[in-house]
Amino acid sequence: MLGGSYQNGKNQVSPPSGLSCVSHEALGRGAGLDPSKLPEQPGQLSNLSLASRIGGKLQKKEVLSAVEKYENYHVAYGGEEEERKANYTDLVNKYYDLATSFYEFGWGESFHNAPRWKGETIRESIKRHQHFLALQLGLKPGQKVLDVGCGIGGPLREISRFTLTSVTGVNNNDYQISRGKELNRAAGILEKTCNFVKADFMKMPFPDNSFDAVYGIEATCHAPDAYGCYKEIYRVLKPGQYFAAYEWCMTDSFNPNNREHQQIKADIEIGDGLPDIRTTGRCLEALKQAGFELIWENDMALDSPLPWYLPMDKNHFSLTSFPATSVGRFVTRSMVRTLEFVGLAPKGSLRVQIFLQQAADGLVEGGRRGIFTPMYFFLARKPLSEDR
C-alpha cells in the first residue's frame, strides 16, 4: 500500500513523495497541452499525466475540499477513531482518489512493501513477495482466486501470470478500478483472466463458497473491523481452502501509552487512509473468531536483510533515492507548489504530497523502533466442516 521506491529496468524511480522528477521542459510544454493524451507505458505515469490525474475521479475544483475533509478525519485535525471507522468508505475512497497517482508515479503497478535481499532490486523483491504468497496458497492452474483490496491490479496480474489462475480483484474505488482496467487492456489481459468488481470487502456480492483461494496484500488494514472483514472472506472461500495476507500491524513492542508511539501511529494513519492500526494479536484473534484455522504466521519484516523502510528514510542518502532525502523533499515541495500555481495540478496537491511524506516519516520511525510492520503474514484455512 505504501513504501519506498521501485526498480524500472535498471533505473530506480523515486518514492511516492510527490512530483519529484518534473522537468522545466515538461512545465514549458504544459501550456495548452492535454496531459491525458500523452502516451505512457503501463504502470508508468508521465509527469504531466500525473499532474492531471491527481484527485482520481474527482473534478479538479473538488480536490481541495476533499483534502480538507480527509484531513479532518484524523487526530492531528481533531478527528476521532470511531468517526473514521463509521465513515471508513468515505475515508478510504478520498484517500485513494487523492493518492493513487502519486503511488503509481513512484511505485508502478504494485503498491506494497517487501523484504529485500542485498543485491536485489526493489521490483524484484516485490515480485518475489507476491510469488511467495501464491506458493503458500498452493495455487493451481484454472483456480478461481480473490484479491481483496486489489488497488490498480499489479499483484493480481502478476499472480495470475505466475500461477495460470483466474483472479478477481475487489476494490471500492472507482478511479482505481478504471485505471486497473486500462492497464489490463494495455497488457493484453482478458477479463476472464483478471477482472475487477466494485465492492466493499465488508459485504461482497459473491455467493457463499465461491473461491478456491483468497489473499490480501496490505489492504484489509483499511477495514474498520478485522473480524467482520475476515468473516466475509471466510463466507466466500470454499471449505478446505486457504486465505493468506500481509497485514499492517502494530507489533508487541508498541506501547499505547507512549506519546511518541502514539504520534508515529497517527502519522501512519493520516498518510495511509487508515481508521486504526491493529496489533498482530488482534488480527490473529479476529481470524480465529471468524472460524479460520491458523496454519502459520510470521512478521516478514524481521527476516529482511535490508530494512524494508530504507528507501523512504530521508537520512539515507543515495542518488537513486535523492527525492526521499531532506533536500529532495524540499525540491519536491517547490515543484508541486509550482505545478499548482500554473494550474497543471489541482489546488490541494501540495497538501496531499505533505501527508504522504508524513506517512513516510511515520513508517520509517515505526520500522526503525520495531513497533510497526507492513508485512505481518499469516496463512489460514477454512475447515472442511463448519461444525468444529
Side-chain angles (χ1 to χ4, degrees):
M1 187 179 68
L2 178 91
S5 54
Y6 80 102
Q7 290 280 351
N8 172 20
K10 294 183 179 179
N11 299 315
Q12 191 170 33
V13 181
S14 65
S17 57
L19 300 173
S20 53
C21 299
V22 181
S23 67
H24 293 289
E25 179 187 1
L27 287 173
R29 289 186 289 111
L33 188 61
D34 180 1
S36 66
K37 304 298 184 185
L38 293 176
E40 58 196 32
Q41 296 300 314
Q44 298 170 2
L45 293 182
S46 66
N47 298 324
L48 292 176
S49 184
L50 168 62
S52 72
R53 289 175 183 267
I54 294 172
K57 291 282 188 179
L58 297 173
Q59 295 294 316
K60 203 169 182 179
K61 62 184 179 182
E62 298 174 332
V63 171
L64 181 58
S65 63
V67 172
E68 291 171 345
K69 186 169 182 181
Y70 173 77
E71 289 174 336
N72 287 335
Y73 278 124
H74 292 278
V75 172
Y77 295 85
E80 299 288 341
E81 179 183 323
E82 291 309 312
E83 182 186 10
R84 293 195 296 278
K85 288 182 176 179
N87 296 283
Y88 73 94
T89 300
D90 185 60
L91 168 74
V92 176
N93 263 309
K94 278 188 169 53
Y95 175 75
Y96 280 114
D97 278 337
L98 297 169
T100 294
S101 294
F102 283 99
Y103 275 3
E104 189 178 350
F105 181 76
W107 279 62
E109 299 177 21
S110 297
F111 305 162
H112 64 82
N113 299 279
R116 185 156 61 107
W117 296 92
K118 293 179 180 179
E120 183 179 44
T121 68
I122 297 173
R123 171 169 281 190
E124 288 169 348
S125 71
I126 285 174
K127 284 192 174 187
R128 179 173 52 77
H129 205 45
Q130 294 164 359
H131 294 175
F132 175 84
L133 182 145
L135 291 169
Q136 290 298 308
L137 286 169
L139 299 183
K140 297 177 178 62
Q143 286 188 322
K144 188 177 177 183
V145 183
L146 181 65
D147 181 333
V148 180
C150 63
I152 61 172
L156 72 81
R157 283 184 288 275
E158 180 63 30
I159 287 174
S160 176
R161 286 188 290 249
F162 181 64
T163 61
L164 303 179
T165 53
S166 174
V167 185
T168 295
V170 167
N171 192 321
N172 208 21
N173 183 267
D174 283 318
Y175 174 68
Q176 288 200 335
I177 287 179
S178 66
R179 183 61 180 151
K181 289 180 177 179
E182 284 179 25
L183 293 169
N184 275 7
R185 288 192 293 270
I189 294 174
L190 299 176
E191 189 170 334
K192 66 180 182 180
T193 303
C194 295
N195 70 304
F196 296 86
V197 174
K198 187 181 186 306
D200 181 348
F201 53 45
M202 301 296 289
K203 38 183 183 276
M204 294 185 282
F206 306 118
D208 295 356
N209 309 322
S210 294
F211 293 95
D212 298 302
V214 181
Y215 68 84
I217 300 180
E218 301 185 20
T220 49
C221 51
H222 289 296
D225 167 34
Y227 166 75
C229 178
Y230 296 162
K231 190 66 178 176
E232 184 67 351
I233 290 169
Y234 183 95
R235 181 185 69 78
V236 302
L237 181 63
K238 292 178 182 179
Q241 301 304 309
Y242 294 91
F243 166 44
Y246 296 119
E247 280 281 14
W248 280 37
C249 291
M250 307 311 294
T251 70
D252 291 341
S253 298
F254 172 70
N255 180 357
N257 299 314
N258 182 306
R259 288 192 176 183
E260 290 182 350
H261 289 195
Q262 290 172 359
Q263 184 60 55
I264 291 168
K265 180 174 178 285
D267 286 344
I268 296 172
E269 287 168 351
I270 190 172
D272 294 287
L274 302 176
D276 185 26
I277 307 176
R278 293 176 280 275
T279 63
T280 55
R282 281 173 60 193
C283 279
L284 287 184
E285 182 181 355
L287 198 66
K288 293 173 182 177
Q289 285 178 342
F292 283 104
E293 298 171 346
L294 179 66
I295 304 302
W296 74 284
E297 50 82 28
N298 185 48
D299 180 2
M300 307 299 281
L302 299 177
D303 301 325
S304 180
L306 293 176
W308 60 266
Y309 54 82
L310 196 61
M312 294 179 287
D313 188 351
K314 63 185 179 184
N315 297 316
H316 173 70
F317 183 83
S318 73
L319 292 177
T320 54
S321 61
F322 172 75
T325 66
S326 297
V327 176
R329 291 185 181 193
F330 174 78
V331 172
T332 299
R333 285 195 298 273
S334 300
M335 191 61 67
V336 175
R337 188 177 289 109
T338 301
L339 286 168
E340 279 196 30
F341 179 76
V342 300
L344 287 176
K347 292 188 183 300
S349 299
L350 181 61
R351 285 164 69 169
V352 176
Q353 187 257 342
I354 287 171
F355 68 62
L356 288 175
Q357 287 187 349
Q358 185 176 349
D361 290 339
L363 290 166
V364 169
E365 198 58 31
R368 182 177 288 121
R369 296 189 184 208
I371 65 172
F372 169 81
T373 177
M375 53 191 78
Y376 179 64
F377 175 81
F378 60 73
L379 178 67
R381 178 178 177 268
K382 179 176 178 176
L384 281 169
S385 170
E386 296 203 31
D387 181 11
R388 300 191 304 157

